[in-house]
Amino acid sequence: MTEQIKSVRYNAMDIATINGFANVTGGCRNGCKDVYFIRVQGYSREVLKDVEYMDRQLTEKMNRGNGIYRRISGLPAIKAPEDADYYADCYEQWVQSGRKEVYTKSCTKDSLPLPFVLAEACEKAVSVHRGDAAENASIEKNMVVKLLFWLDWMTGDWYAQWDARKSVKIVADNITKKQEYFFFYFLTLIGCDVLLIQSKTDIAADIDRLGLSKKLALGSFDSRGDIPPFEVKTVQKPTESAQSVKRTESGPENTGLIRMSIPPRPSSGKPKSGYERPETGLRAGIPQIPSAAAGERREKSYEELARLAASVVLISVHSRTGDVLGTGSGIMVGKKGYILTNNHVASGGVFYSVKIENDDQIYETQEVIKYHSLLDLALLRIPRELEPIPVYSGSQRLVRGQRVVAIGSPLGLFNSVSDGIVSGFRVIDEVDMIQFTAPTSHGSSGGALLNMYGEVIGISTAGIVEGQNINLAVGYEDINVFIRGFV
């Protein structure tokens, strides 16, 4: 752990779904960590589907070394006398230190500054639990002993090496006892995101009045509403698809050809997009985002389109030690620092550095605002005002043969511009993609695919291994839905 958490900020973004919880990543800046404490109320088939999808998505991310995920069905009682004695000693040492340090089986002096973070979290949890009522030392001791026992039981040794900037998500089912609820509040104080799935019943009214977690009503309570247990599974290597596809990032560990295999999306009832596929046409019912600023909408020259490179960035992905793991591209989509890229560019990084054309400053960030592993989209944020490129609204559907321009950083060659045409519309494992001929290479991932009006119609994502200039982009429809609320 390289940075001490001095304070936490709760629920900085409005989370309205289980998938929203799975995708959001809180930043850590100047010792302040953004955390999420959400309480889902109710039971339904959709809740079960969303939980299953979350399990799969966060496990895949964890197995790539990007974040930690735990889902548990309950907390154990302290049965062994030696455990009770050990954690009672931990409590006494905490008190003797002036409540400044906590050491457990997994949190030793080699884990600094974690013992100080745990000590402050214990003090805060005890204080909130006590409230205005008098509480004797025995009740306080009992609570701290359970907090530390449960922490060691649940986390093992991962939190001893955990970086404050790393995403840690904990999900639990049907938590109703007060001390158990406060354990999950305690986890948020050390920087974890927590989701409680209350499918059978909710916490008591006196606990609810504390306002520690955000309520999210997704159905009615059901006494038979058991959430299936979860087992952590190792992600298998993807099987070969009908076509071999290369991800177009670059870097010392990301230069080989990778076969793309995107798992099917969970059923959500929304219509599928087909662009110009004769059987479907454009997706219906999605609110349109304006595709251009006020004024005349006209086709631009190649020289004018090339100047839009000022709104396309080069992203370097860094390890914990600062080494560059790979590079990719990104598109400015929101004035308040929001940059769209591919999830496969952002995944695996501890932090990112962003280079902008005609700006000598390099912008570092740890903020992955959201991501979607199936669509291969991610949203980063940097501390800078941006000039975003408008995303196409879909006033007319795309057609084969229309001219396009791609901007990205192939092989690290910053903001290269190439032209081509839309050559087809493909569905790769149920993800709609635009096939185009504008040349791309490793490092182009996350770059902009523009129409001749200077609007983003896609984000460069992959290419067919066996062909020449057979490249693929996630289309504007999915982009518009993904960035809604950030533009």
Side-chain angles (χ1 to χ4, degrees):
M1 185 171 182
T2 60
E3 182 177 356
Q4 182 170 347
I5 297 177
K6 300 176 183 178
S7 62
V8 294
R9 182 176 66 161
Y10 285 93
N11 304 324
M13 293 181 60
D14 187 22
I15 302 299
T17 64
I18 292 174
N19 287 335
F21 172 84
N23 287 329
V24 72
T25 302
C28 184
R29 185 178 298 173
N30 298 324
C32 181
K33 173 81 172 179
D34 283 343
V35 298
Y36 292 83
F37 192 12
I38 310 293
R39 199 168 84 248
V40 168
Q41 299 172 314
Y43 179 82
S44 68
R45 289 185 178 181
E46 288 305 315
V47 167
L48 291 179
K49 289 179 181 179
D50 287 346
V51 170
E52 181 182 2
Y53 176 48
M54 174 179 64
D55 286 343
R56 183 173 66 249
Q57 181 182 14
L58 292 181
T59 301
E60 289 174 355
K61 181 180 178 183
M62 182 173 64
N63 287 338
R64 294 197 302 266
N66 191 7
I68 294 167
Y69 178 54
R70 294 286 188 274
R71 180 159 73 83
I72 60 178
S73 297
L75 295 170
I78 302 178
K79 296 182 178 180
E82 57 270 24
D83 285 337
D85 292 341
Y86 176 83
Y87 290 101
D89 288 341
C90 292
Y91 169 80
E92 296 298 340
Q93 292 169 5
W94 173 61
V95 173
Q96 292 170 9
S97 73
R99 302 174 182 248
K100 300 297 183 184
E101 301 174 53
V102 168
Y103 296 98
T104 70
K105 294 178 180 178
S106 299
C107 179
T108 66
K109 291 187 177 181
D110 294 333
S111 310
L112 293 174
L114 185 62
F116 308 126
V117 176
L118 292 182
E120 291 181 9
C122 284
E123 177 66 17
K124 179 67 174 178
V126 165
S127 176
V128 176
H129 183 268
R130 182 191 310 120
D132 297 329
E135 186 170 272
N136 61 41
S138 177
I139 295 176
E140 177 186 272
K141 178 178 179 179
N142 177 268
M143 178 176 174
V144 173
V145 165
K146 287 183 177 179
L147 293 181
L148 299 180
F149 169 73
W150 286 331
L151 185 68
D152 272 346
W153 168 82
M154 188 188 69
T155 62
D157 61 357
W158 62 253
Y159 72 96
Q161 291 83 36
W162 172 52
D163 191 310
R165 299 169 296 184
K166 197 165 189 176
S167 173
V168 180
K169 293 188 181 292
I170 310 296
V171 178
D173 311 335
N174 293 304
I175 300 300
T176 57
K177 295 180 180 179
K178 189 172 183 179
Q179 287 189 340
E180 292 184 349
Y181 180 78
F182 266 84
F183 170 66
F184 293 100
Y185 170 62
F186 169 73
L187 291 178
T188 68
L189 294 172
I190 63 174
C192 301
D193 297 327
V194 173
L195 176 68
L196 303 182
I197 305 173
Q198 306 295 106
S199 60
K200 295 182 177 181
T201 187
D202 203 6
I203 57 177
D206 63 321
I207 308 175
D208 186 27
R209 280 194 292 269
L210 296 173
L212 301 178
S213 57
K214 176 188 174 182
K215 291 183 284 188
L216 189 61
L218 296 183
S220 301
F221 294 117
D222 189 332
S223 60
R224 300 166 297 176
D226 290 315
I227 305 297
F230 169 64
E231 296 181 2
V232 177
K233 298 179 181 179
T234 303
V235 175
Q236 301 297 317
K237 293 182 179 180
T239 57
E240 183 172 351
S241 303
Q243 296 168 317
S244 298
V245 181
K246 61 184 173 76
R247 299 291 197 187
T248 51
E249 76 270 41
S250 69
E253 297 181 9
N254 299 318
T255 55
L257 300 183
I258 302 175
R259 302 195 186 282
M260 183 172 72
S261 181
I262 302 177
R265 305 184 198 182
S267 175
S268 61
K270 68 180 182 179
K272 296 180 180 179
S273 166
Y275 299 105
E276 205 204 4
R277 294 206 306 264
E279 67 275 16
T280 58
L282 279 171
R283 176 185 295 162
I286 292 180
Q288 299 300 308
I289 296 176
S291 60
E296 181 184 2
R297 182 174 182 268
R298 61 175 181 82
E299 290 194 0
K300 302 181 185 298
S301 67
Y302 286 114
E303 290 82 0
E304 289 175 305
L305 293 171
R307 286 198 285 270
L308 293 177
S311 295
V312 180
V313 305
L314 172 65
I315 300 171
S316 296
V317 182
H318 297 269
S319 68
R320 190 184 309 276
T321 59
D323 296 330
V324 176
L325 301 176
T327 63
S329 304
I331 309 167
M332 298 180 187
V333 292
K335 289 186 177 181
K336 296 183 179 180
Y338 296 109
I339 295 173
L340 178 70
T341 187
N342 285 134
N343 183 55
H344 76 265
V345 172
S347 64
V350 173
F351 69 96
Y352 313 89
S353 59
V354 175
K355 181 179 180 182
I356 298 174
E357 197 167 274
N358 302 319
D359 187 342
D360 293 333
Q361 183 174 346
I362 302 296
Y363 298 89
E364 290 191 359
T365 182
Q366 304 153 9
E367 293 189 78
V368 180
I369 301 300
K370 64 183 296 189
Y371 69 93
H372 196 301
S373 58
L374 303 187
L375 295 177
D376 200 7
L377 298 176
L379 196 66
L380 309 182
R381 180 167 59 187
I382 63 172
R384 184 188 191 274
E385 191 82 5
L386 302 179
E387 292 295 330
I389 305 177
V391 180
Y392 184 52
S393 67
S395 55
Q396 293 181 326
R397 61 183 182 180
L398 306 182
V399 295
R400 285 189 296 269
Q402 75 176 76
R403 293 177 296 163
V404 295
V405 166
I407 303 177
S409 298
L411 304 178
L413 299 173
F414 186 36
N415 278 357
S416 300
V417 180
S418 60
D419 69 309
I421 61 170
V422 171
S423 50
F425 303 93
R426 309 297 170 199
V427 179
I428 307 295
D429 291 335
E430 297 194 18
V431 176
D432 295 300
M433 290 192 169
I434 303 169
Q435 179 186 334
F436 64 99
T437 64
T440 62
S441 299
H442 298 298
S444 296
S445 278
L449 182 66
L450 306 175
N451 62 16
M452 298 305 291
Y453 294 95
E455 299 159 335
V456 175
I457 60 170
I459 179 171
S460 298
T461 299
I464 305 299
V465 173
E466 288 83 2
Q468 292 185 345
N469 294 338
I470 304 177
N471 303 309
L472 299 169
V474 174
Y476 64 88
E477 291 181 322
D478 286 320
I479 291 173
N480 273 330
V481 173
F482 184 77
I483 65 174
R484 185 184 299 155
F486 298 97
V487 296

